[in-house]
Amino acid sequence: MTNRRATAGTRRVVVTGLGAITPLGVGTGTLWEGLLAGRSGIRPLNAPEFADLPVRIAGTVPVDPAELLPRPQARRMNRAARFAVLAAHEAWQDAGFAEGGTRDSGLDPERVGVSIGTIIGGAPVLVDGDRTLRKRGMRAVPPLTAPMTVPSQAASQISLALHVTGEARTVVSACASGTEAVGQAIDRIRYGRLDVVLAGGAEAAVTPEVMAAFTAMRALSARNDEPEAASRPFAKDRDGFVNSEGAGLLVLESEEHALARGARIYCEAAGWGLSADAHHMAAPDPTGRGIAAALRRAIADAGADSRDVLHINAHATATVEGDRAEAAALSTVFGDADGTVAPPVTALKGHLGHLQGAAGGVEAVATALTLHHGIIPPTVACDDLDDAVPLDLVRGSARPLPARGDLALSNSFGFGGHNAVLALRRR
């Protein structure tokens, strides 16, 4: 096993808190239980505004986030920000900090940061404002429409809720946004800029406009009659992804900071890698070269090599082109002589659908839990594996982590060729 390389001036980063709100429900406990049980959070869209659309299924959060927050606070947030703040509160308290934020936790707020990935952000608020303007005139447009529209509202609302003044950054890089936000947070701690960062992703893009746009691309699964089995990662009969919403956040901190306060540590945030396909505005490079580069960079950033990887949490949206490109990259980096990829792989979008900018955050939470508990959740809705996908895919039931190796990878890839890979190390 390769030891993490010693780099002058850098600090080791660990994960001490987790928070999530997903189509499976509220909290990481609900998420983890649902993943292990093979449950799906994909359900019909029964609201009247979706009635005329050809695709009427999505991974929607089963509770109204506004009802879980103080009313004055909720009214000032877009839906994605509500998800983010709820996940942030859970992760913050899971890390052992006081509910009130940095002040009550005895932390220097200038040494704490926020790093959130998103794609759509508050765009639905802008659409609603346009509708109101056209129907009722300018006086009816809510005065907070503009600040609730910006993609950075999730990060700023977490900063407000927990009195974080170090920084509140937002990453927008398509479906790699959440993973890249975690990676940037690792570097902010690694190089001494911050001690603690709340990092992950949040998204709330299940709207008629977004659903119509993805349907026009022929990107969505049209299995309206079987929503729970509509998202089929790596399956031979997959027909597209399922649009979803939610948030997933991790508390990252320097190892010395965590040890000094006696924190429980889930795993090490050991490294990350980025690349760009430079291939097409929407489709991935079918050779998987860009994805393979991000995988290798994440492993190298963790001071490891491919033999140290014991598990991969795949991006696997259940699109034909995307799944095959990822499988090709995994084969390139990890393939054995017989062509089978050695590390066991799971893909969680069968349970959750595709949470867009939040996908990387939620899947990083799941990967941290996998390392912590030593169990790999199964891939669901993949009864017949695509012949072009030579993976050791965990299906049917959960599987123990292999004893050999110590590194798990969480993959995220997005429109335009954005590739991001997070490397977590078990302790």
Side-chain angles (χ1 to χ4, degrees):
M1 187 178 300
T2 304
N3 292 323
R4 187 188 187 280
R5 65 171 177 266
T7 305
T10 64
R11 302 188 297 175
R12 193 166 292 190
V13 182
V14 295
V15 178
T16 58
L18 303 172
I21 179 166
T22 74
L24 289 173
V26 178
T28 57
T30 301
L31 170 66
W32 185 242
E33 181 186 4
L35 293 178
L36 293 181
R39 286 200 294 273
S40 170
I42 300 168
R43 47 186 60 86
L45 293 171
N46 295 320
E49 61 262 34
F50 298 103
D52 295 330
L53 296 179
V55 176
R56 298 179 301 280
I57 54 173
T60 53
V61 172
V63 299
D64 182 353
E67 295 180 357
L68 303 178
L69 292 164
R71 182 175 175 82
Q73 186 181 13
R75 289 179 61 190
R76 290 171 170 80
M77 297 185 203
N78 61 49
R79 186 173 173 88
R82 292 168 184 167
F83 289 145
V85 169
L86 288 168
H89 276 297
E90 182 191 9
W92 186 256
Q93 292 174 64
D94 185 49
F97 295 125
E99 181 179 359
T102 58
R103 290 167 170 167
D104 293 351
S105 302
L107 297 174
D108 178 355
E110 294 189 4
R111 299 293 300 171
V112 182
V114 179
S115 182
I116 302 297
T118 190
I119 305 173
I120 302 296
V125 177
L126 184 62
V127 173
D128 288 342
D130 179 68
R131 289 176 185 161
T132 301
L133 175 65
R134 293 174 185 276
K135 291 181 180 179
R136 299 167 56 195
M138 191 186 77
R139 291 182 179 274
V141 176
L144 294 179
T145 296
M148 290 173 63
T149 296
V150 295
S152 60
Q153 210 210 21
S156 66
Q157 287 292 331
I158 294 171
S159 169
L160 286 165
L162 297 173
H163 193 68
V164 171
T165 63
E167 59 188 37
R169 63 174 56 212
T170 300
V171 176
V172 181
S173 54
C175 302
S177 299
T179 296
E180 185 173 343
V182 176
Q184 290 193 16
I186 291 172
D187 280 351
R188 299 303 285 168
I189 298 170
R190 178 186 282 172
Y191 298 110
R193 304 298 189 268
L194 299 167
D195 296 323
V196 179
V197 182
L198 281 147
E203 202 75 82
V206 182
T207 69
E209 296 77 17
V210 172
M211 295 293 294
F214 282 138
T215 301
M217 290 181 67
R218 299 182 180 179
L220 296 180
S221 172
R223 289 188 167 93
N224 295 317
D225 57 340
E226 47 180 348
E228 293 187 350
S231 180
R232 303 185 179 193
F234 293 128
K236 186 176 291 186
D237 59 351
R238 65 198 182 281
D239 69 330
F241 73 85
V242 174
N243 189 25
S244 299
E245 63 179 7
L249 269 74
L250 304 88
V251 172
L252 306 178
E253 59 184 298
S254 68
E255 183 181 48
E256 64 263 36
H257 191 276
L259 293 176
R261 66 183 187 88
R264 179 267 327 279
I265 295 175
Y266 283 102
C267 59
E268 178 187 350
W272 65 301
L274 288 177
S275 72
D277 280 357
H279 173 73
H280 188 272
M281 68 178 294
D285 181 343
T287 68
R289 280 192 291 263
I291 295 173
L295 290 163
R296 291 191 178 105
R297 289 167 187 170
I299 295 167
D301 194 46
D305 63 40
S306 61
R307 294 170 298 177
D308 298 322
V309 177
L310 78 167
H311 169 55
I312 299 162
N313 190 309
H315 182 64
T317 62
T319 61
V320 173
E321 296 85 355
D323 287 7
R324 287 184 175 177
E326 184 172 12
L330 293 174
S331 295
T332 297
V333 177
F334 300 102
D336 289 339
D338 64 359
T340 301
V341 176
V345 176
T346 194
L348 303 181
K349 290 181 177 66
H351 303 78
L352 301 168
H354 189 0
L355 280 80
Q356 309 295 325
V362 171
E363 289 162 12
V365 168
T367 305
L369 289 169
T370 295
L371 291 175
H372 183 66
H373 293 293
I375 302 172
I376 304 172
T379 303
V380 299
C382 180
D383 297 328
D384 193 4
L385 186 65
D386 185 346
D387 295 334
V389 176
L391 304 178
D392 177 15
L393 193 66
V394 179
R395 293 183 288 169
S397 60
R399 185 193 302 180
L401 274 176
R404 175 186 166 276
D406 66 350
L407 210 65
L409 304 181
S410 182
N411 297 345
S412 294
F413 316 120
F415 286 152
H418 296 278
N419 305 312
V421 177
L422 178 66
L424 301 179
R425 175 174 283 120
R426 68 177 169 187
R427 293 172 64 89

